[in-house]
């Protein structure tokens, strides 16, 4: 493993950090999340037109830049530093890879160039409380994450010449504002029940969307209701293995989330260090007290360790999707790369972010406890991601189970 970054990767990080420094300060973030969309459309347009961020890992044939998933992870770290309220996760990380992997040539040619240039946003309509299971981060791929039958979820019914969807999904990331919805739905009845993916325009007749209040306002969520909505099947036929496709995407999504959390934790630590150097108590800066130094040193070590784990997860997910490994079963791919690195990296990064944000609130003293202070934005990001993608103990428990640590099986080393 070569841990060095290329000149191109360093340039992507530098350009993105400079742009976000100018366009995404704390006040800009707060103003953006108060908009009906929940993000700043102008910033998203700039990220698409100037940096090609939405299409960073899409092939050049579809208007993308043709970079690897490593560049996506590095970009996510910079977005996390600024807590940038943009639909990057929902559009470029969750929806676009599924369109690329499962879509027909016509669907790719129509949709991916619009995603790459930022003119089309997309959302995967999986309920937020089940994202961890759908992506095989907190449970096996066969988990019934999409609901079904009268228990809820979305149902698909085939008529003479079209598919129609009925049901709802709640807490969908960017579900209230996305121009395109990728909707998992059950079909086949009880005996032949299976999950298929469908394409639904956000403004289609019968679609009712409501923005939901979320703990982390920088990740907009919405309730999506579908009332006999016409839908287009994603892919050429109804034989696509949607569960495996989502499970195969899970480690990449976890690596992106881990990098976001590392960037946020690093920035929270920086702001806290700046403050303790300026704030004086008993005639000296509080940062000079040994107890404060020790607490911040512990945070620094946690952030550095989490960054190493996130970078390894980025490398592992690129290695996992290369060559013949892509067609291998999920367990075999995990063994080839040493296990589900993404979930473990995410658990470590969320813990580092929660620690960095918590120490920031504490060391800012009275001002840090005010709800309006920016330290709370970072703390809410950590808590919000744990609610959506699973707390650290569940991420670690499933990774250990998948790797066979406590089942007497041979473990890859």
């Amino acid at each position: 493993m070569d841990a060095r970054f290329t000149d191109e990767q360093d340039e992507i990080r530098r350009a993105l950090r400079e742009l976000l420094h100018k366009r995404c300060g704390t006040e800009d973030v707060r103003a953006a999340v108060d908009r009906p969309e929940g993000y700043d459309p102008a910033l998203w347009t700039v990220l698409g037109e100037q940096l090609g961020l939405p299409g960073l890992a899409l092939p050049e044939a579809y208007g993308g830049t043709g970079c690897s998933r490593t560049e996506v992870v590095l970009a996510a770290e910079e977005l996390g530093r600024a807590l940038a309220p943009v639909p990057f996760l929902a559009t470029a990380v969750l929806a676009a890879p599924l369109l690329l992997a499962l879509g027909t040539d016509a669907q790719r040619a129509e949709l991916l160039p619009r995603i790459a240039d930022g003119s089309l946003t997309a959302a995967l309509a999986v309920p937020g409380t089940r994202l961890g299971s759908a992506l095989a981060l907190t449970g096996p791929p066969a988990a019934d994450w999409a609901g079904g039958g009268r228990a809820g979820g979305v149902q698909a019914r085939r008529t003479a010449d079209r598919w129609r969807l009925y049901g709802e999904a709640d807490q969908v990331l960017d579900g209230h504002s996305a121009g395109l919805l990728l909707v998992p739905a059950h079909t086949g009845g009880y005996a032949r029940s299976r999950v298929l993916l469908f394409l639904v325009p956000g403004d289609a007749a019968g679609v009712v969307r409501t923005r939901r209040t979320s703990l982390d306002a920088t990740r907009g969520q919405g309730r999506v209701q579908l009332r006999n909505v016409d839908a287009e099947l994603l892919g050429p036929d109804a034989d696509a293995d949607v569960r495996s496709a989502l499970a195969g995407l899970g480690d990449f999504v976890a690596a992106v989330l881990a990098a976001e959390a590392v960037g946020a934790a690093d920035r929270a630590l920086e702001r806290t260090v700046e403050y303790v150097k300026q704030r004086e108590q008993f005639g000296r800066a509080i940062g000079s007290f040994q107890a404060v130094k020790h607490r911040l040193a512990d945070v620094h070590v946690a952030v550095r360790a989490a960054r190493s784990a996130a970078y390894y997860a980025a490398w592992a997910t690129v290695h996992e999707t290369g060559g013949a490994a892509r067609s291998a079963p999920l367990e075999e791919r995990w063994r080839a790369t040493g296990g589900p690195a993404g979930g473990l990296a995410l658990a470590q990064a969320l813990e580092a972010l929660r620690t960095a944000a918590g120490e920031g609130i504490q060391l800012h003293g009275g001002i840090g406890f005010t709800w309006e202070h920016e330290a709370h934005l970072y703390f809410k990001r950590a808590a919000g991601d744990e609610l959506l993608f699973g707390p650290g103990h569940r991420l670690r428990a499933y990774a250990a189970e998948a790797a066979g640590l406590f089942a007497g099986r041979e473990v890859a080393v």
Side-chain angles (χ1 to χ4, degrees), residues 246-337:
L246 281 168
L249 184 63
D251 242 26
F252 169 58
V253 175
V256 170
L257 290 165
E260 277 191 349
V262 166
D266 190 47
R267 184 57 179 156
L269 175 61
E270 285 181 5
R271 295 304 298 267
T272 304
V273 170
E274 291 171 3
Y275 180 78
V276 299
K277 288 181 178 178
Q278 299 170 3
R279 173 69 187 274
E280 292 189 357
Q281 193 70 275
F282 306 112
R284 56 190 287 194
I286 63 174
S288 64
F289 294 112
Q290 190 175 43
V292 174
K293 290 180 179 180
H294 285 178
R295 291 172 68 172
L296 292 177
D298 289 342
V299 176
H300 175 73
V301 171
V303 173
R304 290 294 296 269
R307 177 178 284 115
S308 295
Y311 287 172
Y312 175 77
W315 172 85
T317 192
V318 171
H319 178 73
E320 180 183 307
T321 54
R326 182 180 304 177
S327 60
L330 189 64
E331 257 189 28
E332 291 183 16
R333 300 207 305 268
W334 278 346
R335 287 178 177 276
T337 56

Side-chain angles (χ1 to χ4, degrees), residues 131-327:
L131 267 173
S133 296
L135 297 169
L137 296 176
T138 57
D144 192 14
W145 47 265
R150 296 185 181 275
V154 179
Q155 307 302 310
R157 180 169 56 90
R158 182 67 185 262
T159 62
D161 58 348
R162 67 186 65 183
W163 287 92
R164 299 184 74 87
L165 306 183
Y166 188 91
E168 75 169 44
D170 205 358
Q171 295 177 260
V172 176
L173 285 175
D174 292 324
H176 61 291
S177 62
L180 176 69
L181 299 173
L182 273 69
V183 184
H186 275 273
T187 187
Y190 181 80
R192 299 176 57 196
S193 177
R194 64 189 188 280
V195 177
L196 301 176
L197 266 178
F198 295 89
L199 302 176
V200 177
D203 57 357
V207 176
V208 179
R209 303 191 290 177
T210 307
R211 186 176 179 185
R212 304 285 280 169
T213 300
S214 56
L215 177 62
D216 177 14
T218 63
R219 290 208 197 280
Q221 298 178 21
R223 174 190 291 159
V224 178
Q225 296 175 308
L226 302 112
R227 302 170 179 174
N228 287 322
V229 176
D230 288 343
E232 177 185 353
L233 180 67
L234 177 63
D237 51 49
D239 294 329
D241 190 349
V242 174
R243 284 193 173 104
S244 294
L246 281 168
L249 184 63
D251 242 26
F252 169 58
V253 175
V256 170
L257 290 165
E260 277 191 349
V262 166
D266 190 47
R267 184 57 179 156
L269 175 61
E270 285 181 5
R271 295 304 298 267
T272 304
V273 170
E274 291 171 3
Y275 180 78
V276 299
K277 288 181 178 178
Q278 299 170 3
R279 173 69 187 274
E280 292 189 357
Q281 193 70 275
F282 306 112
R284 56 190 287 194
I286 63 174
S288 64
F289 294 112
Q290 190 175 43
V292 174
K293 290 180 179 180
H294 285 178
R295 291 172 68 172
L296 292 177
D298 289 342
V299 176
H300 175 73
V301 171
V303 173
R304 290 294 296 269
R307 177 178 284 115
S308 295
Y311 287 172
Y312 175 77
W315 172 85
T317 192
V318 171
H319 178 73
E320 180 183 307
T321 54
R326 182 180 304 177
S327 60

Side-chain angles (χ1 to χ4, degrees), residues 26 38 65 116 139-140 250 310 399:
T26 301
T65 57

